[in-house]
Amino acid sequence: MSVKTLKIDGIDVAIAEDASILQAAREAGVAIPTLCHLDGVSDIGACRLCMVEIAGTPKLFPACVTQVAEGMEVSTNSPKLQDYRRMVVELLFAEGNHVCAFCVANGNCELQDVAIEVGMDHARFPYRFPDRKVDNSHPLFSIDHNRCILCTRCVRVCDEIEGAHVWDVAQRGANCYIVSGMNQPWGAVDACTSCGKCVDACPTGSIFRKGETTGEKERDRNKLEFLVRAREKKEWTR
């Protein structure tokens, strides 16, 4: 496989030709904020936080799904990008019902972490206060759609790692929401193996274990990483 050379924030990087800009940035030690990216599953560019600038074009590009090219010059943290990312995080807070003080993931939430990273201290946009439901039908887990940011990490983990295909996205635009089975209550979906991978994948407090209260949610990302590595090496299969 051939290698491409490029610059990321002035740093020379050499990486395999099929790598993404996000992978190249991490290789160079350059941090780019993400929410929908999760190591071990496919990237879809849903959150738009990882947008970067490429010299020679006014467009912004999602680093997670943009392939590297020879001679590419990438900027990851310009004032334009900082303003853009702050706006994205403000919109995420404004379009949902994120009450951190009562969330199981308070203090262990990637949305909180990104808000701090981009310097968001308020939202310039009116809050929508959508009427979203909480599904407590599963014997072990719950999903609170008020805290969902539609990163679809649960969908991809369930499809690509567990192979159960429990989750999907229903509706369009502002009406989108995560759906279990054929729009069934989660507890009624026979395909669910109760593995908990979607809980570990969720970046917020949207999917959590029953019995967890404010600030108690913890994730076991090592489990996901172990499964991905084992399957890639064909050391273990379901």
Side-chain angles (χ1 to χ4, degrees), residues 45-189:
C47 70
R48 317 309 281 181
L49 269 175
C50 69
M51 303 295 276
V52 296
E53 293 181 288
I54 298 176
T57 174
K59 293 174 57 179
L60 300 182
F61 295 84
C64 65
V65 292
T66 302
Q67 191 170 321
V68 297
E70 183 65 33
M72 182 182 278
E73 295 185 15
V74 180
S75 175
T76 72
N77 200 32
S78 66
K80 177 180 179 179
L81 290 170
Q82 292 173 11
D83 291 341
Y84 176 86
R85 289 173 183 150
R86 191 178 304 113
M87 178 189 68
V88 168
V89 177
E90 289 176 22
L91 287 168
L92 287 173
F93 273 93
E95 72 178 4
N97 296 314
H98 299 283
V99 185
C100 298
F102 300 99
C103 183
V104 295
N106 189 21
N108 188 24
C109 172
E110 293 179 40
L111 180 60
Q112 277 184 338
D113 294 342
V114 167
I116 294 169
E117 183 178 352
V118 302
M120 177 204 157
D121 55 10
H122 70 284
R124 293 166 286 178
F125 309 100
Y127 284 83
R128 294 182 59 242
F129 299 112
D131 181 15
R132 295 179 178 174
K133 308 301 181 183
V134 179
D135 183 354
N136 288 314
S137 62
H138 194 283
L140 300 178
F141 314 118
S142 297
I143 177 169
D144 184 347
H145 293 279
N146 294 285
R147 301 166 180 165
C148 179
I149 58 172
L150 292 172
C151 66
T152 73
R153 279 163 40 162
C154 59
V155 177
R156 287 172 283 149
V157 162
C158 191
D159 288 354
E160 300 172 18
I161 298 181
E162 183 60 16
H165 310 285
V166 172
W167 302 106
D168 210 331
V169 180
Q171 303 294 342
R172 295 187 178 187
N175 295 319
C176 279
Y177 66 99
I178 297 296
V179 62
S180 51
M182 299 296 289
N183 203 13
Q184 304 162 267
W186 187 2
V189 181

